[in-house]
Amino acid sequence: AKLQPCLEEADGRLYAPFLLDENADKRVEGRFQLTAVDGKEVGKAAEAKEAVDTKAKLIKSTRPDKQIEIFVVHQNIIRYMFLRALQFDTTAWLNFGGSNCTMTQLRITRKGDVICDFFGDH
């Protein structure tokens, strides 16, 4: 069955054409009025939309801004990835420095720029 969004009625309130039970096993048909968002009572559709927007902003502000991934790989792979990320000639990876058991950090900005904070650092 296709889920439908809440519908705004002429009285300015939001209604759902059905609800799902707690386990989403059963669908209960009917006309259900949205009365609260995140424990805050809402009367009209505009209040509900404002409450949802406020909650979404709060959730977004508490999430971390960046994602960190750690790869444990052989130094040859690090050399290749480093050269590729910085758009250098990747055939030079064997002539490039760096030893095993070191750390390299590359950051990729939202615009796609690559920044090397350190390479082959102990």
Side-chain angles (χ1 to χ4, degrees), residues 5 31 41 64 69 71 78 83 90 92 99 117:
R31 186 170 179 259
E41 289 187 25
E69 296 183 24
F71 298 95
I78 293 173
L83 292 168
T90 55
S99 59
D117 291 315

Side-chain angles (χ1 to χ4, degrees), residues 11-12 17 63 69-70 81 86 91 93 101 105 119:
D11 63 1
R63 290 186 178 159
E69 296 183 24
I70 298 174
M81 288 173 49
L86 295 176
T91 60
W93 68 273
C101 301
Q105 179 174 308
F119 179 86

